[in-house]
């Protein structure tokens, strides 16, 4: 049984604010409704208070209540046992006239209930039926157990609240009842259980709902000190946490520079939602790596404060989530997973469970390519369907922040706060400049750079990056952002050639341990550039590295073993890795000129709170870029525009989901929902009404058989099975047709002697551009296939003759696409067979990071196909095959390592380390001590070990709780059926 909230009992506190007489019929009705509110909140209907149950529950065997009238007739009916004897109750005879007036008032629908609760129609109908069944006229003057004194007074100074008195009195009356029939005992048991639940909630509220730390218990400040090293909040954080919008649970958008401490405020608000408001919360982050880092970072808080964290990223996360009976849940999600989560909650009518949605990087709502549309759809559905759910957005400063404010109906809180002073410089040739005044574009020459470069050094390092790096390392840290992955590797290689040998000696043993660990994770393989640069405390960091390599490098940098990272711009948007100095190699990201928001994000990494007094950023430019850079640094902040305006085709997926969730089933319904989008706000500003676009979108969905008009109501449409499959899988129209063709071909003859055919079905085609086709490698791989695997090739249309002709240099037009697709499948097949990423990358002459990205994309596509097939009966075979296949593919590890892969941010390499060290299961890890784990595993920081152990405990607690709740449900069902059987036998 779900515990009721105290608000379900009505505003009972108002009864203590004044003294009033209950002698009038209206007063009698008010108190009767107050009593019924308690019962309704406990899911107790009037059946417990009617018929012969009244006679036993409130009969004369209950100890008599003292009255103020000593001459009261002994035969008079007792006053309501809900009321406390301390409150001086008088027990007059029942008044037939008053009772008739009360019944008349019950029928008055316009009468307002001062307590905020009215007796439900269900309860009224049940009462009426019971009266008729027992031949009792509804206006009968027979005694009521709820008859109230005509002069009952409540003292405003009483120590106990009325809700306490009611609960205590009910418990006393029930416990005092004599032996009854089993049916009556069952009713008493149910009522007592409900009241116990209410009492527990009342005690819980009194202990946790109001605390000294912004509503949280004082223990929270100790946990922040222990797990995050935070002794005191910044002034702006304290100010933000007591804003009227926060106190009144209104929507809020707050904006500060990078590294200003935005995330901590969000985490405090989330924990307050879980522990004080007893609602679940959703935290939306842009990338999987950030989700994993946040899950691991908050796991210790979940253990200490007793709430649940569920990771929703990649293949992790149950959609819809399991409904928990005891603890509340924080869902930490990527944008796409958060959207799927909200869709599932809307469909299951469970959005009332979500009290708070927090969105990091809210400005990404304008990001092109579809992600912005997904975020806008998510927030539009929350604001349209669940108005009681609070939305908190953290955003970079935007020039059109008012659009977001209107979209979310939110208040704005902006501060230009940084805990560390940031000094911004621009380097042109050998001169270092600082922008003095943004409005007048006044520049000041700070100094001329002179690093005593030789002619050869200056020729190979004309931007003097080595000199700029050497000014801060090895005692401090430095980040160098480069436009491309290739630039990162070249700069790392070049810098190491000019650094002095003294840098090598800094933490030499630690660097050797990191290199050893890196080799172990690569099965003896390590990049030559990394092997050399590690000696100097330098590494490159980009998507070409495996996830294990990136994680190891990030941890080594955070611990000070590595002092300089040469990276791409993706690092700025990912894990927080601050530095004393940030250098931008060029004002470009790829081939595109950098935007102001991206520039601010990169330089925001400069300055480490608690370590540095100030941070520095240096943008290296050529004289030809000086004008454009000047415009960039003096321009207004970027604006964000709705994807539904820039890419109208994205409306197809949105409107299909509206039909699937039954939010909109007619064209006017669609217009009503679209009014709640950012697109509608921005269209109104320019006087645009895109009605034709919406109608064309609905026509396109009809043409592709994703929705259909109802026969009974030609103006209403509903989703088809195919549309439901596309909606559940998150698939657009073009991909739907591709999926149908691919899956249908498999049904005609799926080869199951090996996994190659299934891998072919889930191979993503977009990697055809990043992984070039090699005829020689393909020919060698084809000749090494088994007869069963060759059968797969023939089944999909690749004959031996075709392979021979291809090897001779002949082109095959459309068949070339099939050959390339099968080529990618062979790469996945090697990974499936437990070959390392290093081995496969070398075999196919492809960067190891690209190979791992292919594997991740294939896992995501397999998960999408699995969801897609669940709604189509003709694909029943895939419904059985794909779920377990998806899990094993995503990890691509031996079966014994799969349980360890459940831990957040634990990849293949770390799982192997844990397994070899003796931590072979989650219970092994949960029972471990961080110090022991650090000693057994090379280069494992104590903080990381503690987070891994906390995460293991959290997962095991969640599994144990799930089993316990399942057992409780089974026992409750058993007791219910047994009681009904016994009652039937007695009757």
């Amino acid at each position: 049984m779900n515990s009721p909230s105290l608000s379900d009992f009505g505003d009972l506190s108002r009864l203590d604010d004044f003294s009033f007489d209950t002698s009038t019929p209206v007063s009698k009705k008010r108190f009767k409704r107050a009593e019924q509110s308690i019962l309704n909140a406990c899911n107790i209907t009037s059946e417990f208070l009617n018929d012969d149950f009244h006679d036993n529950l409130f009969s004369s065997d209950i100890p008599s209540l003292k009255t103020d009238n000593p001459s009261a007739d002994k035969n008079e009916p007792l006053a309501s046992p809900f009321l406390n004897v301390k409150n001086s109750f008088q027990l007059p005879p029942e008044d037939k006239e008053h009772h008739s007036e009360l019944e008349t008032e019950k029928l008055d629908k316009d009468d307002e209930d001062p307590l905020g609760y009215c007796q439900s129609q269900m309860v009224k109908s049940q009462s009426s039926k019971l009266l008729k069944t027992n031949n009792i006229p509804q206006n009968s003057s027979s005694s009521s157990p709820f008859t109230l004194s005509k002069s009952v007074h409540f003292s405003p100074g009483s120590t106990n609240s009325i809700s306490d008195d009611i609960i205590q009195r009910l418990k006393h009356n029930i416990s005092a009842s004599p032996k009854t029939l089993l049916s009556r005992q069952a009713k008493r048991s149910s009522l007592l259980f409900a009241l116990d639940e209410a009492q527990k909630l009342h005690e819980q509220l009194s202990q946790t709902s109001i605390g000294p730390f912004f509503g949280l218990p004082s223990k929270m400040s100790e946990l922040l000190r222990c797990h995050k090293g935070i002794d005191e909040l910044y002034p702006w954080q304290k100010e933000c946490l007591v804003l009227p919008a926060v106190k009144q649970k209104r929507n809020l958008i707050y904006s500060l520079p990078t590294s200003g401490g935005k995330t901590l405020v969000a985490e405090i608000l989330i924990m307050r939602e879980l522990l004080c408001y007893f609602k679940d919360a959703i935290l939306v982050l842009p990338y999987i790596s950030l989700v994993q880092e946040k899950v691991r970072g908050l796991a210790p808080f979940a253990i200490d404060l007793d709430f649940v964290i569920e990771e929703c990223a990649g293949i992790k996360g149950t959609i819809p989530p399991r409904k928990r009976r005891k603890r509340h849940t924080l869902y930490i999600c990527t944008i796409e997973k958060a959207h799927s989560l909200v869709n599932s909650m809307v469909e299951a009518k469970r959005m009332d469970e979500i009290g708070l949605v927090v969105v990091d990087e809210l400005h990404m709502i304008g990001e092109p390519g579809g992600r912005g549309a997904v975020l806008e759809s998510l927030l539009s559905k929350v604001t349209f369907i669940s108005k009681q759910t609070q939305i908190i957005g953290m955003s970079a400063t935007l020039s059109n922040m008012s659009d977001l404010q209107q979209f979310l109906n939110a208040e704005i809180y902006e501060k230009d706060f940084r805990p560390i002073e940031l000094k911004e410089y621009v380097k042109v040739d050998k001169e270092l400049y600082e922008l003095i005044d943004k409005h007048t574009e006044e520049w000041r020459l700070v100094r001329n750079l002179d690093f005593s470069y030789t002619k050869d050094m200056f020729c190979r390092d004309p931007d003097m990056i080595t000199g700029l790096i050497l000014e801060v390392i090895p005692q401090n840290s430095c980040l160098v952002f480069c436009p491309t992955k290739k630039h990162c590797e070249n700069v790392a290689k070049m810098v190491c050639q000019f650094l002095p040998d003294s840098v090598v000696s800094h933490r030499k043993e630690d660097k050797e341990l990191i290199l050893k660990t890196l080799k172990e994770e690569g099965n003896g393989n390590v990049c030559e550039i990394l092997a050399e640069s590690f000696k100097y405390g330098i590494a490159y960091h980009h998507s070409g590295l495996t996830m294990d390599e990136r994680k190891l490098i990030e941890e080594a940098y955070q611990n000070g073993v590595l002092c300089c990272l040469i990276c791409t711009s993706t690092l700025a948007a990912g894990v927080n890795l601050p530095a004393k100095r940030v250098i931008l190699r060029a004002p470009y990201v790829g081939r595109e000129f950098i935007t102001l928001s991206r520039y601010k994000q990169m330089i925001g990494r400069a300055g480490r709170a608690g370590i540095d007094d100030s941070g520095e950023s240096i943008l290296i430019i050529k004289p030809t870029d000086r004008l454009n850079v000047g415009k960039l640094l003096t321009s207004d902040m970027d604006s964000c525009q709705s994807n539904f305006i820039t890419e109208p085709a994205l409306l197809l997926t949105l409107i299909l989901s509206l039909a699937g969730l039954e939010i909109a089933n007619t064209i006017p319904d669609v217009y009503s929902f679209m009014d709640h989008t950012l697109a509608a706000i921005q269209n109104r500003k320019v006087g645009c009404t895109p009605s034709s676009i919406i109608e064309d979108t609905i026509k396109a969905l009809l043409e592709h058989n994703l929705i259909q008009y109802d026969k009974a109501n030609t103006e209403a449409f509903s989703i088809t099975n195919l549309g439901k499959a596309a909606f559940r899988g998150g698939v657009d129209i073009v991909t739907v047709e591709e999926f149908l063709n691919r899956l249908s071909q498999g049904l005609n003859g799926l080869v199951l002697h090996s996994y190659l055919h299934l891998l072919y079905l889930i191979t993503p085609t977009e990697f055809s551009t990043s992984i070039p086709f090699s005829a020689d490698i393909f020919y060698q791989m084809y000749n090494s296939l088994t007869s069963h695997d060759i059968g797969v090739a023939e089944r999909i249309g690749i004959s031996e003759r075709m392979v021979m002709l291809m090897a001779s240099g002949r082109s095959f037009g459309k068949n070339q696409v099939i050959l390339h697709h099968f080529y990618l499948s062979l790469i996945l097949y090697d990974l499936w067979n437990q070959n390392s990423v290093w081995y496969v990358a070398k075999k196919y002459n492809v960067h190891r990071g690209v190979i791992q990205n292919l594997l991740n994309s294939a896992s995501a596509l397999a998960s999408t196909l699995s969801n897609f097939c669940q709604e189509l009966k003709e694909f029943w075979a895939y419904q059985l095959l794909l779920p377990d296949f998806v899990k094993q593919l995503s990890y691509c590890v031996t079966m014994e390592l799969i349980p360890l892969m459940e831990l957040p941010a634990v990849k293949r390499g770390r799982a192997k380390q844990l397994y070899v060290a003796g931590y072979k299961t989650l219970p092994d890890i949960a029972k471990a001590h961080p110090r022991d784990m650090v000693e057994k595993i090379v280069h494992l920081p104590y903080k990381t070990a503690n987070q891994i152990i906390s995460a293991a405990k959290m997962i095991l607690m969640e599994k144990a709780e799930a089993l316990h709740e399942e057992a409780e449900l089974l026992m409750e069902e058993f007791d219910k059926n047994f009681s009904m059987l016994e009652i039937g036998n007695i009757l």
Side-chain angles (χ1 to χ4, degrees):
M1 177 181 292
N2 292 330
S3 299
S5 64
L6 286 185
S7 61
D8 292 337
F9 294 102
D11 189 6
L12 297 177
S13 62
R14 292 167 53 189
L15 300 179
D16 289 330
D17 295 335
F18 52 86
S19 178
F20 54 91
D21 193 354
T22 62
S23 61
T24 66
V26 173
S27 300
K28 293 162 80 175
K29 184 188 75 168
R30 289 177 178 175
F31 275 98
K32 189 162 185 175
R33 286 182 175 176
E35 296 163 354
Q36 190 62 47
S37 297
I38 297 289
L39 300 174
N40 288 343
C42 297
N43 293 328
I44 304 300
T45 60
S46 60
E47 63 179 299
F48 290 103
L49 304 175
N50 285 290
D51 202 22
D52 55 356
F53 183 59
H54 283 157
D55 301 332
N56 281 278
L57 183 60
F58 307 119
S59 60
S60 59
D61 59 348
I62 302 175
S64 300
L65 297 176
K66 294 182 179 180
T67 68
D68 289 342
N69 184 4
S71 62
D73 191 352
K74 295 181 181 179
N75 295 325
E76 294 178 24
L78 292 175
S80 171
F82 287 145
L83 304 178
N84 194 321
V85 296
K86 295 179 183 179
N87 290 329
S88 184
F89 300 133
Q90 295 181 359
L91 306 176
E94 178 68 8
D95 189 329
K96 180 176 180 179
E97 181 179 349
H98 286 166
H99 186 80
S100 299
E101 291 177 6
L102 179 61
E103 293 298 324
T104 302
E105 288 179 3
K106 279 184 180 180
L107 301 176
D108 187 1
K109 296 181 180 179
D110 297 329
D111 187 28
E112 182 178 325
D113 187 352
L115 297 178
Y117 280 85
C118 296
Q119 191 177 25
S120 68
Q121 294 299 322
M122 180 184 72
V123 173
K124 289 180 181 180
S125 63
Q126 289 176 343
S127 301
S128 178
K129 288 178 182 178
L130 287 166
L131 289 171
K132 290 179 181 178
T133 303
N134 292 278
N135 297 320
I136 300 174
Q138 291 192 24
N139 292 327
S140 172
S141 60
S142 57
S143 297
S144 167
F146 296 101
T147 305
L148 301 171
S149 169
K150 292 185 179 181
S151 58
V152 175
H153 292 275
F154 283 86
S155 171
S158 60
T159 57
N160 291 341
S161 69
I162 292 182
S163 59
D164 288 336
D165 295 340
I166 291 172
I167 290 171
Q168 292 171 6
R169 199 62 197 159
L170 271 173
K171 285 184 176 180
H172 172 75
N173 289 335
I174 291 171
S175 61
S177 298
K179 296 180 180 180
T180 61
L181 294 175
L182 181 60
S183 60
R184 296 170 185 168
Q185 291 174 344
K187 291 178 181 179
R188 285 201 186 96
S189 298
S190 298
L191 185 58
L192 186 58
F193 175 81
L195 293 170
D196 283 338
E197 290 294 303
Q199 183 66 26
K200 289 176 185 176
L201 178 64
H202 187 65
E203 293 171 358
Q204 187 180 17
L205 279 169
S206 64
Q207 293 171 5
T208 63
S209 61
I210 299 176
F213 190 81
F214 303 100
L216 289 167
S218 57
K219 181 181 180 181
M220 185 64 194
S221 58
E222 299 172 10
L223 294 177
L224 286 176
R225 187 179 303 109
C226 176
H227 298 313
K228 287 182 175 285
I230 297 173
D231 293 320
E232 188 175 359
L233 302 187
Y234 296 129
W236 82 264
Q237 292 172 328
K238 296 178 182 178
E239 181 183 353
C240 184
L241 286 168
V242 295
L243 289 173
V246 172
K247 289 183 176 180
Q248 298 167 19
K249 291 205 69 180
R250 299 198 304 268
N251 295 346
L252 174 71
I253 301 172
Y254 61 96
S255 174
L256 283 94
T258 303
S259 302
K262 298 190 294 291
T263 305
L264 180 59
V265 170
E267 291 172 356
I268 292 173
L269 293 176
I270 286 169
M271 284 182 256
R272 190 169 71 173
E273 188 69 32
L274 299 171
L275 303 176
C276 300
Y277 294 106
F278 310 109
K279 293 279 189 177
D280 297 338
I282 300 174
L283 173 59
V284 185
L285 300 171
Y287 305 111
I288 293 177
S289 60
L290 292 178
V291 169
Q292 293 171 340
E293 181 190 28
K294 188 59 64 180
V295 170
R296 202 167 70 176
L298 290 179
F301 290 91
I303 297 296
D304 292 332
L305 296 175
D306 195 30
F307 62 87
V308 179
I309 295 177
E310 186 163 332
E311 178 183 346
C312 298
I315 68 162
K316 291 186 177 180
T318 305
I319 304 293
R322 182 175 67 84
K323 191 169 185 177
R324 295 171 176 86
R325 309 176 73 194
K326 297 180 179 178
R327 296 190 294 166
H328 293 282
T329 307
L330 167 59
Y331 303 99
I332 305 182
C333 318
T334 55
I335 294 172
E336 292 76 14
K337 276 286 189 174
H339 188 217
S340 298
L341 175 65
V342 167
N343 282 342
S344 70
M345 299 294 268
V346 171
E347 191 171 18
K349 313 269 188 235
R350 290 173 54 191
M351 271 304 292
D352 60 317
E353 297 175 19
I354 306 298
L356 176 65
V357 176
V358 177
V359 181
D360 195 9
E361 310 291 351
L362 179 61
H363 54 271
M364 289 186 69
I365 199 170
E367 181 176 303
R371 295 201 83 200
V374 174
L375 183 55
E376 184 176 349
S377 299
L378 158 67
L379 294 175
S380 298
K381 288 171 184 174
V382 173
T383 57
F384 184 77
I385 294 168
S386 185
K387 292 182 172 30
Q388 77 277 8
T389 301
Q390 184 184 22
I391 297 175
I392 302 290
M394 296 176 278
S395 174
T397 304
L398 298 170
S399 60
N400 62 339
M401 188 71 80
S402 59
D403 288 353
L404 290 178
Q405 180 181 16
Q406 189 176 350
F407 167 50
L408 296 178
N409 188 26
E411 294 192 15
I412 301 292
Y413 180 83
E414 292 182 279
K415 288 285 184 180
D416 189 21
F417 170 83
R418 276 186 58 89
I420 303 298
E421 181 188 5
L422 174 61
K423 299 176 181 178
E424 299 179 44
Y425 302 107
V426 175
K427 176 186 170 298
V428 186
D429 292 333
K430 294 184 178 182
E431 298 173 333
L432 200 65
Y433 291 91
E434 181 181 10
L435 181 64
I436 298 299
D437 193 325
K438 174 180 176 180
H439 301 289
T440 61
E441 299 186 25
E442 180 182 353
W443 295 81
R444 177 175 68 88
L445 177 64
V446 177
R447 61 179 171 131
N448 286 304
L449 301 176
D450 183 14
F451 297 117
S452 303
Y453 268 35
T454 65
K455 187 176 181 180
D456 179 60
M457 288 178 65
F458 190 77
C459 182
R460 297 174 62 184
D461 183 16
D463 294 321
M464 297 186 283
I465 295 175
T466 306
L468 293 172
I469 292 174
L470 197 55
E471 282 187 328
V472 292
I473 69 165
Q475 299 303 324
N476 290 301
S477 57
C478 181
L479 292 176
V480 181
F481 288 102
C482 296
T484 65
K485 290 183 286 188
K486 191 64 178 176
H487 277 134
C488 290
E489 296 176 18
N490 291 339
V491 169
K493 188 176 181 179
M494 178 266 297
V495 167
C496 292
Q497 294 174 353
F498 299 141
L499 288 176
D501 293 337
S502 59
V503 178
V504 177
S505 60
H506 180 73
R507 301 190 66 169
K508 184 177 180 180
E509 293 181 358
D510 291 329
K511 288 184 282 192
E512 289 174 350
L513 284 175
I514 297 173
L515 190 57
K516 180 182 177 182
T517 306
L518 201 62
K519 286 181 180 179
E520 290 175 354
E521 293 185 353
N523 291 332
N525 298 294
V526 66
C527 172
E528 294 180 1
I529 298 175
L530 287 178
E532 181 64 22
S533 65
F534 265 40
K535 299 175 184 178
Y536 297 89
I538 293 175
Y540 66 84
H541 184 290
H542 56 61
S543 60
L545 295 169
T546 66
M547 288 184 288
D548 288 320
E549 288 174 322
R550 271 180 276 171
K551 195 66 187 173
L552 183 65
I553 289 171
E554 289 165 6
E555 289 176 353
Y557 178 81
Q558 288 172 328
N559 294 325
V561 178
L562 296 178
C563 52
C564 179
L565 296 184
I566 319 293
C567 51
T568 54
S569 61
T570 54
L571 184 70
V575 179
N576 185 23
L577 298 174
K580 169 67 176 178
R581 174 176 288 179
V582 171
I583 301 171
L584 278 67
R585 172 72 176 75
Y588 293 91
V589 175
R591 296 182 179 181
E592 297 181 359
F593 197 79
I594 193 171
T595 62
L596 184 59
S597 60
R598 184 67 67 89
Y599 168 77
K600 292 289 186 182
Q601 194 174 51
M602 290 181 185
I603 67 171
R605 299 299 183 195
R608 298 165 297 173
I611 300 175
D612 302 321
D613 295 327
S614 64
E616 303 172 346
S617 71
I618 300 175
L619 173 60
I620 300 174
I621 67 172
K622 296 179 180 179
T624 54
D625 289 323
R626 186 165 186 168
L627 181 61
N628 290 330
V629 169
K631 290 180 180 179
L632 172 76
L633 298 181
T634 57
S635 64
D636 293 329
M637 293 301 298
D638 299 332
S639 62
C640 69
Q641 190 170 18
S642 170
N643 280 196
F644 295 126
I645 296 176
T646 57
E647 302 176 69
L650 295 171
L651 283 170
L652 289 165
T653 304
L654 173 60
I655 294 178
L656 179 63
S657 71
L658 298 181
L661 296 172
E662 298 182 353
I663 295 174
N665 296 110
T666 64
I667 293 179
D669 289 344
V670 175
Y671 286 144
S672 177
F673 178 86
M674 292 303 297
D675 280 341
H676 289 74
T677 62
L678 177 63
I681 292 167
Q682 295 181 334
N683 277 326
R684 281 196 292 267
K685 283 193 172 183
V686 296
C688 177
T689 307
S691 56
S692 60
I693 297 176
I694 293 175
E695 292 175 5
D696 289 343
T697 301
I698 294 174
K699 287 179 182 178
L701 293 172
L702 290 166
E703 290 172 359
H704 287 83
N705 193 33
L706 298 176
I707 61 173
Q708 61 186 6
Y709 276 112
D710 295 341
K711 294 180 180 179
N713 183 2
T714 55
E715 293 184 357
F717 52 79
S718 60
I719 194 167
T720 64
N721 288 336
L722 180 60
K724 194 176 291 185
F727 157 59
R728 294 275 171 78
V731 183
D732 57 39
I733 289 180
V734 177
T735 313
V736 165
E737 295 179 357
E738 179 190 336
F739 279 10
L740 286 175
N741 292 334
R742 191 183 293 194
L743 294 169
S744 298
Q745 289 175 4
L747 287 182
N748 294 330
L750 190 64
V751 180
L752 295 177
H753 289 97
S754 71
Y755 287 95
L756 181 57
H757 203 165
L758 274 177
L759 288 168
Y760 178 81
L761 293 176
I762 57 90
T763 299
T765 56
E766 63 267 19
F767 277 81
S768 299
T769 55
S770 55
I771 301 179
F773 179 81
S774 171
D776 293 337
I777 295 175
F778 183 86
Y779 182 73
Q780 294 172 11
M781 289 299 303
Y782 181 86
N783 287 332
S784 65
L785 294 176
T786 65
S787 59
H788 293 309
D789 294 336
I790 290 176
V792 174
E794 291 176 350
R795 177 67 64 181
I796 63 178
I798 300 176
S799 64
E800 186 176 356
R801 179 176 177 275
M802 184 186 296
V803 175
M804 297 296 292
L805 292 172
M806 178 270 302
S808 65
R810 182 173 174 179
S811 178
F812 289 94
K814 291 183 179 180
N815 287 332
Q816 190 70 30
V817 176
I818 299 176
L819 287 168
H820 202 160
H821 192 113
F822 191 63
Y823 183 74
L824 298 176
S825 302
L826 292 176
I827 296 176
L828 290 172
Y829 196 35
D830 269 331
L831 292 170
W832 177 271
N833 290 324
Q834 303 301 311
N835 291 308
S836 70
V837 172
W838 275 93
Y839 171 82
V840 177
K842 188 175 181 180
K843 184 176 181 178
Y844 291 89
N845 196 25
V846 180
H847 209 292
R848 60 193 181 280
V850 176
I851 295 293
Q852 193 164 60
N853 290 337
L854 170 65
L855 176 62
N856 293 337
S857 296
S859 301
L861 181 57
S863 179
T864 298
L865 274 172
S866 179
N867 294 331
F868 181 82
C869 293
Q870 295 300 321
E871 301 299 327
L872 301 173
K873 293 180 180 179
E874 59 267 32
F875 294 142
W876 62 269
Y878 295 119
Q879 295 174 13
L880 300 174
L881 288 169
L882 286 176
D884 291 336
F885 173 78
V886 168
K887 189 172 184 179
Q888 192 169 350
L889 175 67
S890 63
Y891 298 144
C892 260
V893 295
T894 53
M895 294 300 293
E896 62 267 17
L897 293 182
I898 287 181
L900 302 181
M901 300 291 285
E902 294 183 41
L903 294 165
V906 169
K907 306 303 178 187
R908 182 174 179 172
R910 182 72 80 200
K912 282 184 178 179
Q913 286 183 320
L914 290 167
Y915 192 86
V916 171
Y919 305 108
K920 299 183 178 182
T921 63
L922 290 178
D924 291 341
I925 295 174
K927 291 183 290 186
H929 192 279
R931 259 188 223 94
D932 297 334
M933 187 175 286
V934 169
E935 290 176 1
K936 292 180 181 180
I937 297 177
V938 177
H939 188 65
L940 179 66
Y942 182 88
K943 181 179 178 181
T944 302
N946 187 49
Q947 290 175 342
I948 289 175
I949 292 170
S950 296
K953 290 178 180 177
M954 183 181 68
I955 293 172
L956 290 174
M957 287 172 61
E958 169 64 7
K959 289 183 176 181
E961 183 180 301
L963 291 173
H964 182 69
E965 290 185 359
E966 185 178 354
E968 284 183 343
L969 288 171
L970 289 172
M971 289 302 298
E972 287 177 12
E973 189 66 24
F974 174 80
D975 291 342
K976 179 180 177 182
N977 293 336
F978 180 77
S979 298
M980 295 299 295
L981 180 63
E982 289 294 320
I983 291 170
N985 292 336
I986 292 173
L987 296 177

